[in-house]
Amino acid sequence: MTSVADEAWFRDKALRRVLSLLDADGGEGRVVGGAVRNSLMGLPVADVDIATTLLPEAVVERAEAAGIKAVPTGIAHGTVTLVVDGTPFEITTLRRDVETDGRRARVAFSQDWHADAERRDLTINALYASADGKVVDLVGGLADLERRNIRFIGDAAVRIAEDHLRILRFFRFFAYYGSGRPDADGLRACAAAKSKIATLSAERVWSEMKKLLAAPDPGRALLWMRQIGILTEVLPETEKWGIDAIPGLVATENVLGWPPEPLLRLAAIVPPDAARLAKLAQRLRLSKAEGAYLLAWANTPVVKDDISEAAFDRLLYRHDPSGVAVRLKLALVTARTKAESDFEEMARVARLGKLLERVAKWKKPAFPISGADALAAGISAGPRVGELMARLEQEWLDGNFSLNRASLLARLKELADV
């Protein structure tokens, strides 16, 4: 018998209290989804979600009677969040789909565990653990988990027709948990329905892609997405650019201890074209910070690894350091890929690494004078003020920030008298 009874997360007092509450008086609650899946794979368990035969109103009533905070986070769809000792648990009534349109579903509450399992997307996400820790598998998820096979429940085409986002979820879960070749039926169904991705909200698409790009190694998933045309549907910018940099980037992250950065990985597979990236950010509804990250990279010139310290400081002053860092990281990945057989590239890797360290320590100096100083020097307000300030700032940069305020004011007076 497969069980999670001995797992620390399952023995947690708060969880035990919730399961006892739900199992009383003819009710039943079971942990479902990610917590069970990850536990069986030896992976960390974060959020613990619970399915129950009780109606949401009954869950709220029982919780309040027990002094447990109940938050109706999605009560119309059967979800109530119980907060025990500061830990939230999502409790969702068993459901069956009444109507779906590829984007949303109308559901009816149920007490049928099989119906609840069969409406879920992937077999590995439909594993339940009852209050005694026994794992309940109603759709063949345990066998798929052992083989690391990512498979839709029942007919893949039907599951996708219910929610088109499942196309991207298929590849996201393959990136995290899959092995070998993706399930053939799933691939065919995803390929056949790829045009339906356009019917989804941009926010849902980007959220799913961002999670995929955060996987320990998204390379194989991206490769299969490319081969069946899914990647072009989501990121047409990659069509003539490629995803070849991903394996080298992942290897570099592992060696140098860089955390997985979805935006850095995105930058590795799209061209550094500011105009196209601005459209990408708008199309996928990236946050302002995410869009700024990509544009800072695109607007930063290529950085030569043998650049002088003074020239590099000037570059950092003129451009967003985050964009400079992305340029350097991607250049370092390319150099590391070639370094195995090229001594010169090994030296280049070292130089790029030192430049990255310099970026991390960079603090932008403040230009010592302002337009107010020009006006105080007797220069009339107008374009000439800006011209003089730009000229003096360039002289300050050319001197590697060595000119102090007194020197710049003296130079300003010279120019004002001309």
Side-chain angles (χ1 to χ4, degrees):
M1 179 185 75
T2 304
S3 173
V4 296
D6 294 331
E7 299 293 331
W9 67 270
F10 194 75
R11 299 196 307 270
D12 177 74
K13 290 182 179 179
L15 174 60
R16 303 310 308 167
R17 187 179 176 191
V18 171
L19 289 175
S20 296
L21 182 78
L22 298 175
D23 281 6
D25 300 322
E28 184 180 7
R30 297 176 183 175
V31 178
V32 63
V36 182
R37 178 197 65 228
N38 281 21
S39 187
L40 294 176
M41 297 185 77
L43 299 172
V45 171
D47 298 332
V48 177
D49 297 329
I50 300 171
T52 182
T53 56
L54 298 175
L55 292 174
E57 293 79 9
V59 174
V60 172
E61 183 179 340
R62 290 191 183 195
E64 290 178 344
I68 294 174
K69 181 180 179 181
V71 183
T73 44
I75 198 164
H77 292 88
T79 300
V80 176
T81 299
L82 301 188
V83 183
V84 182
D85 298 332
T87 302
F89 298 94
E90 270 200 1
I91 318 297
T92 302
T93 302
L94 302 187
R95 298 175 294 181
R96 59 181 177 83
D97 290 334
V98 174
E99 182 181 354
T100 61
D101 64 3
R103 291 177 295 173
R104 62 185 69 84
R106 188 163 62 87
V107 300
F109 299 140
S110 166
Q111 290 192 330
D112 186 336
W113 289 99
H114 279 87
D116 187 74
E118 289 168 354
R119 70 173 295 277
R120 296 177 184 271
D121 55 0
L122 303 167
T123 60
I124 65 169
N125 292 337
L127 296 170
Y128 302 87
S130 54
D132 61 0
K134 179 184 177 182
V135 174
V136 180
D137 177 14
L138 304 172
V139 292
L142 285 174
D144 285 330
L145 203 63
E146 185 174 350
R147 297 195 304 268
R148 300 182 75 91
N149 181 40
I150 308 305
R151 181 170 65 87
F152 285 106
I153 295 169
D155 188 321
V158 172
R159 294 288 81 74
I160 289 172
E162 292 166 348
D163 184 351
H164 303 316
L165 190 69
R166 288 173 172 174
I167 296 171
L168 299 182
R169 283 175 61 82
F170 176 77
F171 290 101
R172 193 245 291 185
F173 280 91
F174 179 76
Y176 279 92
Y177 308 111
S179 179
R181 179 189 173 97
D183 177 71
D185 289 340
L187 276 179
R188 282 193 292 269
C190 288
K194 63 186 178 184
S195 64
K196 298 297 185 179
I197 293 173
T199 67
L200 298 167
S201 73
E203 290 84 357
R204 292 184 78 199
V205 171
W206 171 235
S207 175
E208 201 60 40
M209 281 301 299
K210 189 174 178 180
K211 292 173 185 175
L212 189 157
L213 288 169
D217 185 354
R220 291 178 305 117
L222 291 171
L223 177 61
W224 284 105
M225 290 174 72
R226 160 59 53 78
Q227 290 191 359
I228 66 172
I230 301 295
L231 193 60
T232 299
E233 288 287 330
V234 180
L235 291 171
E237 294 81 5
T238 67
E239 181 63 27
K240 296 183 179 180
W241 195 252
I243 57 174
D244 297 343
I246 292 295
L249 175 53
V250 171
T252 300
E253 290 169 347
N254 292 336
V255 170
L256 299 183
W258 296 351
E261 288 185 71
L263 287 174
L264 178 62
R265 290 169 169 186
L266 178 60
I269 63 176
V270 296
D273 181 321
R276 293 189 70 188
L277 292 180
K279 291 179 180 178
L280 181 156
Q282 183 178 26
R283 186 182 74 246
L284 292 181
R285 300 289 192 271
L286 270 61
S287 69
K288 288 183 179 180
E290 291 167 342
Y293 178 103
L294 292 177
L295 291 179
W297 161 61
N299 289 322
T300 298
V302 173
V303 183
K304 294 183 178 180
D305 59 281
D306 60 353
I307 189 172
S308 69
E309 289 188 359
F312 190 59
D313 284 346
R314 290 194 291 271
L315 181 73
L316 287 171
Y317 182 83
R318 289 296 193 193
H319 298 276
D320 190 323
S322 69
V324 176
V326 174
R327 281 283 186 186
L328 291 172
K329 285 182 176 181
L330 295 181
L332 191 150
V333 168
T334 300
R336 283 193 77 256
T337 303
K338 298 177 180 177
E340 295 180 3
S341 58
D342 190 325
F343 181 79
E344 282 298 318
E345 291 297 332
M346 292 178 62
R348 187 164 179 257
V349 167
R351 291 193 293 270
L352 289 167
K354 290 186 179 298
L355 291 176
L356 269 172
E357 291 176 4
R358 195 172 181 86
V359 174
K361 297 176 182 177
W362 169 257
K363 291 184 180 180
K364 186 175 182 177
F367 186 43
I369 62 174
S370 66
D373 293 308
L375 297 176
I379 301 169
S380 300
R384 188 160 182 253
V385 171
E387 293 169 2
L388 288 176
M389 296 304 294
R391 179 173 174 178
L392 287 171
E393 186 177 28
Q394 187 59 53
E395 291 182 8
W396 179 64
L397 285 173
D398 291 340
N400 203 31
F401 316 105
S402 61
L403 293 175
N404 59 24
R405 176 173 170 79
S407 299
L408 287 167
L409 287 175
R411 178 68 177 134
L412 176 62
K413 188 174 185 307
E414 289 177 14
L415 294 173
D417 292 339
V418 173

